[in-house]
Amino acid sequence: MTQSTPLALSTIEDILVASKDGSLRHIPVDVYKNAPKIEWVEIKDEQQQGHICFTTNNGYRPFNLYGPAVTKVLPWNIQSAKLPKSCQNIELGPGYWIDLRKLRVETNRFAQSLEHSPIASPDGQLSPCDAWLPQDALSQLKLTPEDNLYIVSWSQQHNSSGDYQINYLSAEQLAKCQLLEQPAHEKEKTLVEQYFIDAGVQTGVLYPQVNSSKSHVHSDVTGEGGDNFDIANFFVLCCVVNLASFD
């Protein structure tokens, strides 16, 4: 008989993903940080360096990737994506943009202002804005993509400079992550099912109150709540993403 193993969530950088098929999987930070890095930015002396993958032909960040912590990556986004040389053999697929920076208290406004600005041409002139989806691509917004994940995170856990990166975790790689199906995972599953899946909450953070019999859930809908689960020894603060909310 296989021994039931408690879930080992160790950092806010870990992610619990609730998929459309009803499965709940744990993605440790080292798994997605070691997935192909398709975009990264380093900011030195207020200058942006690195490789930008998701821009339009005229150098704008596509507007459908603005703002939300979780949104869809569309075929239209992939058409103009510019992979770095180290990732030329990767075939990107439609999926989900997960911006962990939105769930972090230390969100850096300077980095946001850079990202939301178009990339100027060498002569300093801005190209016409082409960040809105064209009319013939608007129907893609209604599509439900596979569970390919584009995970945006700070390059370091405590980031003050605005450096970030985007790692691509394919649906096949996600399927290899730990599935929360053992009895030892029942408490975590119940919390996610109640406060995220049942409530239709798309994303939030989950953590236990230290030295308390009540666990706390923070999300963009539920606010703060608790159930009588003594889970302080099970896991610490982590991110939860409910892809089933896109159905």
Side-chain angles (χ1 to χ4, degrees):
M1 181 177 178
T2 303
Q3 185 176 2
S4 185
T5 305
L7 183 62
L9 289 167
S10 59
T11 167
I12 185 177
E13 304 287 350
D14 283 8
I15 310 173
L16 293 180
V17 173
S19 296
K20 297 178 290 295
D21 62 4
S23 64
L24 183 61
R25 294 185 183 275
H26 167 216
I27 309 177
V29 58
D30 58 340
V31 168
Y32 68 79
K33 287 281 192 180
N34 288 313
K37 185 164 65 173
I38 60 176
E39 178 172 317
W40 62 94
V41 162
E42 297 176 355
I43 300 172
K44 297 180 180 179
D45 299 325
E46 298 191 2
Q47 296 297 314
Q48 180 173 299
Q49 304 174 9
H51 179 86
I52 303 297
C53 178
F54 287 104
T55 65
T56 63
N57 293 326
N58 288 345
Y60 290 80
R61 177 74 85 189
F63 280 158
N64 69 299
L65 301 180
Y66 272 176
V70 182
T71 190
K72 298 176 185 177
V73 175
L74 308 174
W76 179 71
N77 300 128
I78 295 171
Q79 287 174 4
S80 60
K82 303 169 181 63
L83 287 170
K85 292 181 179 179
S86 59
C87 298
Q88 290 297 316
N89 61 335
I90 295 176
E91 184 176 351
L92 300 179
Y96 297 92
W97 175 278
I98 300 174
D99 195 340
L100 299 181
R101 300 171 303 170
K102 307 293 185 183
L103 301 177
R104 297 289 301 277
V105 175
E106 307 96 328
T107 300
N108 187 287
R109 295 185 182 276
F110 175 67
Q112 285 185 324
S113 67
L114 279 177
E115 182 179 333
H116 287 207
S117 301
I119 299 172
S121 59
D123 60 4
Q125 299 299 313
L126 298 181
S127 302
C129 180
D130 60 349
W132 298 103
L133 271 72
Q135 193 68 30
D136 59 2
L138 289 175
S139 61
Q140 296 177 13
L141 293 169
K142 300 179 181 180
L143 299 177
T144 301
E146 294 186 40
D147 292 349
N148 300 308
L149 307 181
Y150 296 79
I151 302 174
V152 189
S153 63
W154 296 123
S155 298
Q156 300 178 13
Q157 185 171 2
H158 300 289
N159 191 291
S160 59
S161 64
D163 300 357
Y164 74 90
Q165 64 190 59
I166 302 177
N167 296 84
Y168 177 64
L169 193 75
S170 68
E172 290 76 15
Q173 291 171 299
L174 175 61
K176 297 177 182 177
C177 291
Q178 182 184 12
L179 188 65
L180 274 66
E181 59 182 358
Q182 300 175 351
H185 305 153
E186 191 60 33
K187 292 168 182 169
E188 292 93 336
K189 284 188 65 178
T190 300
L191 283 174
V192 174
E193 288 170 354
Q194 289 178 338
Y195 287 97
F196 289 86
I197 299 175
D198 292 348
V201 174
Q202 195 170 75
T203 186
V205 294
L206 185 67
Y207 66 94
Q209 184 179 10
V210 180
N211 298 323
S212 172
S213 63
K214 289 191 175 184
S215 61
H216 281 224
V217 176
H218 279 193
S219 71
D220 49 10
V221 172
T222 61
E224 184 176 309
D227 280 306
N228 291 320
F229 289 135
D230 184 12
I231 59 171
N233 295 322
F234 279 83
F235 62 89
V236 295
L237 183 64
C238 74
C239 301
V240 179
V241 177
N242 178 18
L243 300 184
S245 65
F246 285 90
D247 277 355

